[in-house]
Structures are given as C-alpha cells and as structure tokens.
Amino acid sequence: MNRSGVPEPNIAYAPEHYLCRRAQGPLELDGRVDKPFWAAAEWTGDFVDIEGDLRPKPAKQTRVKMLWDDEYFYFAAELIEDQIWATLTERDSVIFYDNDFEIFIDPDGDSHQYYEFEINALNTVWDLLLVKPYRDGGPPVNGWDIAGLKTAVHIDGELNRPSADNRKWSVEVAMPWASLRECAADKRPPASGEFWRVNFSRVEWQAEVHDGEYRKVINPDTGKPYPEDNWVWSPMGIVNMHYPELWGYVVFTDDNGEPSTFELPADELIKWELRRLYYRERNYFEAHGHFSRDAKLLMGEDCWSIEPIIETTSGLFQIKAPSSDGQSVFCIREDGMLWKE
C-alpha cells in the first residue's frame, strides 16, 4: 500500500457539467467539426489552466463537443493553433511529449478503473487503462486498447510547416460502448439521465523555429524544455490530471433532450468531503507514521456537512458517512477507492 502523502487540490468543488445529446445519424470521421453531425451539440466552455484561477487563462482557445448513441461515445475538439506540429507516429507512444489532446473517463466515479486517451496532430493515439491513480499505486495498463476506436484529425494549415498559414487543428473520436463498459457500473453503457465523470486536457509546449522546423524552447538553466502548459475543461487546482474526483459531469440525455438541466446531487458533495478527509488522512500518516482516528483533527476549522466515522489499523483506514437520504453509507479507504453500501 502506498502510504505517501497526497497533495490536496487548491480549489472549491465546482466541476463543470455537460448535457450530452443523442446523435441523429452516423458519423463519417474526417476530423472536421463544422459539419451537420455536430450541429446539435453545444460547445463546452473554453479550456482554462489546470490550476484554475491560480493561473492566467490559456493563450489559445480549446473547446469540445460530445454526442452519444447506442454504439458510440463521440467527441469533437477544436484547438486554435498557429504552430501545428507533431513527431510521434507509433501507437501508445507517450503522446504528451508532443502537443496533444487528451480524454479522461471514469464511468462509475469511484476514481479507480478509468481510461486515458491521447492524440496528436499526426492522429497517433495512446490509450490506456488506469487500475488506480498513480497516487494510489497505479498501475497503468498500456497494453489495453479501446477496441473499435475511430479517430480523425483535420489540419487547418499545414503540419510541421512554420511558414504556413496555420489556424487550428481539430479532432474527432468515436469510442465504442462495447469497450468503455468494461469499467462501468454493471458493465453496461450509460442510460439517459445518468452521468459519467469526464475531463479533457490539452498539452501545449513552448516552441520556436530553427532551420525551418519547430523545436521545443530549451531552458538554458536546465538544458531541458520548459514545462508544458496544461489546459483543461474542468480545472483541477493541482498540476495532475489523475484526480478523477475533480473531473466534469457528462449527463446523457434522451432523444427529447431530457434531462435538460443538471443540479449537482447532494451525495456528490458528501463524496467530496470524504475525499478531502482521505487526502488529509494520507498526509497525516506521512507526517506522523500512523493514521488518525480523530475526525475533528483532520477536519480542522473548515465547514463540513458530514459527521464521519474513521476506522484505522496500523496500515489501513476507512472513513464512512451517511448518504443524503440516510438510507446508505459512503465509504473511502486508504487507496482512494470510494463506494456505497
């Protein structure tokens, strides 16, 4: 068991949400997002820095659309860009070494067993399954693939040509439910009215032109490229995408567009408060060498809606709190797994 500390994100709990409508016909993927298939889908808000309001707004716009039908979960992304470049051509390369677009999906919202997908402007893909977040010991399953995945990229400009009139690149992705349901509740696709936890990230490196080619800008103090920017749909409050509890809520609607609104369920706030105690219990162990049974010690002077019960052993803990209706109990343990019983 990984007993190291877990940084607590510096953010109020307010994940983005999106009402995902049903597609009205088949998608012919070409990477273009301005065709009739996508007309019924709303754009998300523009991406922000991964740390949210702690950092300036991104210099380049990124936004996403989503649709669904009985076979696929569809994504369209538009990335405004005057430097369109990519180098990686082998599937399951570490795609974020290039500028890229990324999708993260946790079907059942327990922060375990979730998917990561990355794509660059060459339409090279990295897809993997995370058994647990890295903070909880992982591991990533690189050999896992989204069976039946379809992707396409459209370049509005020219790839790897600094002299071109570059404006943007866009991405279309179709992920089959037959593959995504592997980590879903009851091993099934979502039903209308249900939500999955989803987030998106855009990795952007500082680049300059040398001898007619793009090169990452090197920090002379380190001899390495400057750190990349991470621009996201739902901010994380920490430079780490692998906090699934902070991803957005994608709500699936029926053919009539129902539900037409989304209000954060009270249970989601209870789960967030348990998550905050999980951060603090892990950090308490790192500082003291043992877990604390004193909930008030972990809660401090902050405002809480729950009255948690903490159970510990020398190397394990479990924290419980009643659901909003009092009919069930939510539990979280030392590896971040959260469930309802």
Side-chain angles (χ1 to χ4, degrees):
M1 148 62 191
N2 180 2
R3 299 187 184 89
S4 61
V6 175
E8 186 170 347
N10 186 5
I11 197 168
Y13 193 70
E16 297 287 339
H17 70 271
Y18 185 90
L19 298 175
C20 186
R21 298 171 179 167
R22 289 190 66 93
Q24 297 304 304
L27 174 61
E28 298 294 331
L29 284 83
D30 60 6
R32 299 187 66 102
V33 299
D34 57 355
K35 52 180 178 269
F37 178 87
W38 292 108
E42 300 289 337
W43 286 110
T44 63
D46 292 349
F47 284 22
V48 298
D49 188 87
I50 192 170
E51 294 186 83
D53 292 340
L54 299 175
R55 300 274 296 166
K57 293 187 180 299
K60 302 174 184 180
Q61 184 189 49
T62 315
R63 55 185 184 169
V64 170
K65 290 185 174 188
M66 288 170 267
L67 290 169
W68 72 302
D69 60 21
D70 291 340
E71 301 297 325
Y72 292 98
F73 194 178
Y74 300 103
F75 305 90
E78 181 182 73
L79 301 87
I80 301 301
E81 182 61 86
D82 58 346
Q83 297 181 324
I84 305 177
W85 61 271
T87 65
L88 300 168
T89 58
E90 184 176 350
R91 184 171 180 141
D92 292 338
S93 302
V94 181
I95 300 299
F96 66 78
Y97 289 163
D98 285 347
N99 288 349
D100 78 354
F101 172 71
E102 305 178 0
I103 303 172
F104 297 82
I105 304 173
D106 182 5
D108 59 6
D110 64 2
S111 86
H112 286 203
Q113 301 284 336
Y114 61 88
Y115 313 118
E116 178 176 355
F117 166 91
E118 302 185 3
I119 188 169
N120 66 7
L122 278 165
N123 198 26
T124 309
V125 166
W126 183 20
D127 50 357
L128 62 158
L129 184 153
L130 279 296
V131 176
K132 303 177 184 178
Y134 295 106
R135 68 190 180 200
D136 299 310
V141 183
N142 280 310
W144 180 84
D145 289 333
I146 303 173
L149 173 73
K150 298 180 181 180
T151 66
V153 170
H154 175 72
I155 306 294
D156 189 352
E158 294 183 58
L159 182 66
N160 295 326
R161 285 285 304 277
S163 61
D165 182 15
N166 293 316
R167 291 173 292 276
K168 63 185 176 182
W169 60 291
S170 54
V171 175
E172 289 182 302
V173 180
M175 297 184 181
W177 298 119
S179 187
L180 295 182
R181 69 185 183 186
E182 179 178 347
C183 296
D186 303 323
K187 305 295 184 183
R188 61 170 177 80
S192 178
E194 295 179 340
F195 60 76
W196 282 18
R197 303 302 300 274
V198 176
N199 211 351
F200 306 99
S201 175
R202 173 180 178 176
V203 167
E204 184 81 3
W205 294 89
Q206 294 184 42
E208 57 189 1
V209 178
H210 280 291
D211 298 326
E213 296 182 349
Y214 292 115
R215 294 287 185 268
K216 292 178 183 176
V217 179
I218 301 299
N219 182 342
D221 294 333
T222 65
K224 298 178 180 179
Y226 285 100
E228 74 279 11
D229 284 316
N230 296 271
W231 301 333
V232 306
W233 172 46
S234 196
M236 307 292 292
I238 187 172
V239 186
N240 188 336
M241 286 301 295
H242 293 274
Y243 277 56
E245 61 271 18
L246 287 164
W247 297 348
Y249 292 86
V250 173
V251 185
F252 299 93
T253 70
D254 62 21
D255 288 323
N256 296 317
E258 296 295 332
S260 59
T261 61
F262 174 75
E263 183 175 344
L264 188 68
D267 280 348
E268 292 300 297
L269 293 174
I270 292 172
K271 290 158 68 173
W272 171 241
E273 292 191 0
L274 285 172
R275 182 68 59 180
R276 291 174 65 199
L277 291 173
Y278 146 85
Y279 302 143
R280 296 180 184 192
E281 188 71 280
R282 286 278 297 269
N283 294 333
Y284 187 92
F285 188 99
E286 184 178 44
H288 300 281
H290 61 88
F291 294 119
S292 173
R293 297 182 183 178
D294 185 349
K296 292 183 178 179
L297 180 64
L298 299 180
M299 296 165 85
E301 300 299 319
D302 297 338
C303 294
W304 302 79
S305 66
I306 61 174
E307 296 182 4
I309 296 173
I310 302 178
E311 302 169 349
T312 70
T313 68
S314 60
L316 306 173
F317 72 77
Q318 184 169 290
I319 308 175
K320 300 180 179 180
S323 61
S324 59
D325 62 8
Q327 301 301 305
S328 305
V329 174
F330 287 108
C331 305
I332 194 168
R333 68 189 187 201
E334 71 286 339
D335 68 350
M337 178 71 176
L338 193 152
W339 71 97
K340 186 177 183 180
E341 61 182 28

